[in-house]
Amino acid sequence: MTSDRIQILIAMCCYMAVIVLIGVYYAKKANENSENYFLGGRGLSPWVAAMSAEASDMSGWLLMGLPGVAYWCGLADAVWTAIGLAVGTYLNWLIISKRLRRYSVKVEAITLPEFFSNRFKEKKGIIMAISALFILIFFTVYAASCLVTCGKLFSTLFQTSYIWMMILGAVFVLFYTFLGGFLAESVSDFLQGIIMIIALVAVLAVGTASAGGFNAVLENSKNIPGFLEFFGTATPALNESGVQAVQAGAPVFGPRATYSALTIASALAWGLGYFGMPQVLLRFMAIRKENELKMSRRIAIIWCVISLIAAVVIGLIGRTLYPTDLLTKSSAENVFILMSTNLLPPLLAGFAMAGILAATMSSSDSYLLIASSALARNIYSGLFKKNATDKQVMNVSRITLVIITLIAIVIALDENSVIFSIVSFAWAGFGATFGPLVVFSLFWKRINSAGAVAGMVGGGAMVFLWKLVIAPMAGGIFAIYELLPAFIFSSLCIVVVSLLTKAPSDDIVKDFEEVRLNK
């Protein structure tokens, strides 16, 4: 190993040591009871709530997936997706956060499935079981995307086996999540959010300078058909193996492709996903005071906008500096790593790489913790053993953590996986399964338990159906991001089924009105 790589490794090890110390510090409090372990005792400050929500939400795809999309095909796909995410972030904090925090306290819920179940005062636990099952499915996929990020990061940096590096990352994340629970995870995510944005801005600055200024980047990009357009996109010319062709030392692109209004709507639909993201919604439930959500919203949107802009522009700069270094869609996601290690001093590059590790850990620990709580608290304790002690619930949770991690490792075994694609599917799953249900539960008093079940099952099933059957078979206008049609279908299911079935009881309506009037 070269001295440069040793310095990078030292910097990353220092970061990992700090994260472990945070886990150790909060371990005692986390293990006092399940509410502390799963929701931090509703004691998050506005800064921790905002930064941990955004860090756990964005994950490794912010530093690898999004720059990779911009590097591969230009502005359009990356920018419209980023706009959708920024708008979705703002609306989620503005519309959902306060009402959800208040309602979750009213119905004494500390997990999302528990909120849905208690909101409709169900006795059989059907809503709780279905929502917990969907959380297990989609968070396992999400966790796999984080492990792919870890594998790509370490194997690229140290020229070692992808699989072993991916497994090593999984073991570290699992150990950390075991240790400190939600509170440690949230505090460390706050730190990780800071590292992520510093890393993005630093690489953006040195990359711009190395390319000869932003004007030089623009001039180079103009030579690629559709690369800088909002209503067109670049199309890399690929051989049979999916590798971009190179001629005279330059990458080959085909004719500019049109980026239609339907495709724009599809990219903007990413913003709808926020309404159903458990890792974000839990931060709303966990903040210590409702009136602090306004400050959190401002912090979150500023962080989000700066990070998204930096990530997209890094991809453009990378194509100028290293036009032929990353010739597959999967390898294009290494552009941030390539720029960091080539342009920054080794020790600073190590901290930039820690930014990727931070993004991955901040998401994967959230995913694992929420998924394990879904099974342990909402299925095991909520349905099968209602008299289970806190210790039993937490033991089941930790066993679940191991099982989910093992499944995620299997999904992540393919080193040619595209992080952006994995994330987009899981994002659609949560957005369509829970997004409409969250909105209607908080703002429509006529929704009933039958409508809630129909919305979850309809939205979740439509994601699979659209992605795996309708889009491949029909193509054309049907080849849109599955979140959009699934979100609409879920909303229709909720409204139609609720209106065709018995109205909610007086007790449910009373709770709704008290929350609405803030009594």
Side-chain angles (χ1 to χ4, degrees):
M1 188 181 295
T2 65
S3 61
D4 287 355
R5 290 295 189 264
I6 291 174
Q7 290 183 60
I8 290 173
L9 183 60
I10 290 171
M12 295 179 73
C13 287
C14 289
Y15 159 75
M16 293 167 75
V18 170
I19 295 301
V20 170
L21 288 174
I22 291 174
V24 171
Y25 180 80
Y26 286 103
K28 183 178 180 180
K29 183 173 182 180
N31 287 283
E32 287 177 355
N33 55 62
S34 59
E35 182 172 358
N36 280 355
Y37 188 76
F38 293 128
L39 201 64
R42 296 189 195 271
L44 299 191
S45 70
W47 276 92
V48 172
M51 297 286 280
S52 66
E54 297 312 306
S56 63
D57 156 48
M58 288 299 182
S59 77
W61 77 269
L62 176 66
L63 282 79
M64 294 184 71
L66 194 60
V69 169
Y71 178 96
W72 189 245
C73 57
L75 272 180
D77 210 18
V79 164
W80 288 114
T81 299
I83 291 172
L85 290 170
V87 172
T89 296
Y90 180 77
L91 292 178
N92 202 27
W93 281 95
L94 180 68
I95 298 171
I96 301 297
S97 62
K98 186 177 291 186
R99 185 72 67 92
L100 179 59
R101 204 283 180 180
R102 190 185 307 161
Y103 219 143
S104 67
V105 172
K106 177 69 179 178
V107 299
E108 298 180 347
I110 66 172
T111 68
L112 196 60
E114 207 169 78
F115 167 71
F116 292 140
S117 182
N118 295 358
R119 158 71 171 82
F120 296 103
K121 298 185 184 298
E122 65 167 355
K123 296 179 180 179
K124 295 183 178 179
I126 295 174
I127 296 174
M128 183 182 289
I130 293 173
S131 56
L133 182 62
F134 275 116
I135 282 177
L136 281 169
I137 292 170
F138 290 120
F139 265 143
T140 301
V141 176
Y142 240 137
S145 75
C146 293
L147 300 187
V148 172
T149 303
C150 280
K152 285 188 175 184
L153 171 61
F154 288 112
S155 63
T156 301
L157 277 178
F158 305 115
Q159 300 299 305
T160 51
S161 165
Y162 163 84
I163 292 177
W164 286 112
M165 291 299 98
M166 180 267 291
I167 293 173
L168 180 64
V171 170
F172 180 75
V173 171
L174 180 64
F175 166 74
Y176 177 72
T177 311
F178 257 86
L179 198 59
F182 181 84
L183 191 58
E185 170 217 313
S186 296
V187 174
S188 64
D189 286 355
F190 167 74
L191 173 63
Q192 289 159 353
I194 294 173
I195 292 173
M196 287 165 66
I197 196 167
I198 291 174
L200 282 165
V201 173
V203 173
L204 173 64
V206 296
T208 302
S210 299
F214 196 63
N215 286 336
V217 175
L218 293 178
E219 287 302 316
N220 175 78
S221 300
K222 287 177 183 177
N223 296 324
I224 304 173
F227 200 75
L228 288 182
E229 296 186 30
F230 291 102
F231 304 101
T233 185
T235 54
L238 308 179
N239 62 24
E240 293 180 355
S241 301
V243 178
Q244 186 174 13
V246 176
Q247 286 184 357
V252 179
F253 287 85
R256 160 197 180 275
T258 301
Y259 206 80
S260 66
L262 189 63
T263 310
I264 291 172
S266 180
L268 290 174
W270 276 77
L272 294 173
Y274 275 108
F275 300 126
M277 289 300 127
Q279 70 270 31
V280 177
L281 298 174
L282 274 183
R283 267 63 182 192
F284 300 162
M285 295 165 63
I287 197 166
R288 65 191 177 196
K289 295 179 182 177
E290 183 183 307
N291 59 10
E292 292 180 329
L293 284 164
K294 186 175 182 180
M295 179 185 291
S296 290
R297 182 178 74 241
R298 292 172 177 169
I299 296 166
I301 193 62
I302 290 171
W303 186 96
C304 184
V305 169
I306 293 173
S307 299
L308 289 170
I309 290 173
V312 172
V313 177
I314 284 170
L316 304 182
I317 296 171
R319 182 59 91 168
T320 298
L321 291 173
Y322 308 105
T324 60
D325 287 56
L326 307 167
L327 297 176
T328 65
K329 191 173 183 179
S330 176
S331 66
E333 294 185 326
N334 292 326
V335 62
F336 182 86
I337 299 174
L338 184 64
M339 290 175 63
S340 300
T341 53
N342 284 355
L343 303 179
L344 292 173
L347 203 58
L348 293 180
F351 284 109
M353 295 303 95
I356 297 178
L357 191 60
T360 305
M361 285 186 56
S362 62
S363 298
S364 52
D365 58 8
S366 293
Y367 305 157
L368 291 172
L369 188 64
I370 296 171
S372 67
S373 72
L375 191 142
R377 186 175 175 89
N378 303 135
I379 295 180
Y380 172 73
S381 175
L383 300 179
F384 296 114
K385 192 171 182 180
K386 296 186 178 181
N387 62 344
T389 64
D390 265 352
K391 185 176 181 180
Q392 289 173 325
V393 171
M394 290 166 70
N395 286 338
V396 171
S397 172
R398 290 185 169 110
I399 293 170
T400 307
L401 280 173
V402 175
I403 295 172
I404 293 171
T405 302
L406 291 174
I407 297 172
I409 287 173
V410 173
I411 297 173
L413 286 175
D414 181 9
E415 63 182 301
N416 293 316
S417 300
V418 178
I419 299 166
F420 195 84
S421 298
I422 300 174
V423 170
S424 70
F425 180 74
W427 185 271
F430 280 123
T433 303
F434 298 129
L437 180 55
V438 168
V439 174
F440 281 102
S441 293
L442 296 178
F443 296 100
W444 190 40
K445 66 181 178 182
R446 181 60 179 81
I447 184 176
N448 59 21
S449 58
V453 171
M456 282 192 298
V457 174
M462 182 56 74
V463 168
F464 284 95
L465 182 64
W466 199 279
K467 174 74 173 179
L468 303 177
V469 180
I470 296 176
M473 289 180 61
I477 63 171
F478 294 97
I480 60 174
Y481 183 28
E482 56 271 18
L483 173 55
L484 183 57
F487 192 97
I488 294 171
F489 184 72
S490 175
S491 300
L492 290 174
C493 288
I494 290 171
V495 173
V496 172
V497 173
S498 292
L499 292 177
L500 291 177
T501 52
K502 186 178 178 181
S505 67
D506 292 340
D507 286 346
I508 294 175
V509 173
K510 181 183 176 183
D511 281 353
F512 179 91
E513 291 295 340
E514 287 180 357
V515 170
R516 183 177 69 84
L517 298 172
N518 195 20
K519 288 186 178 180

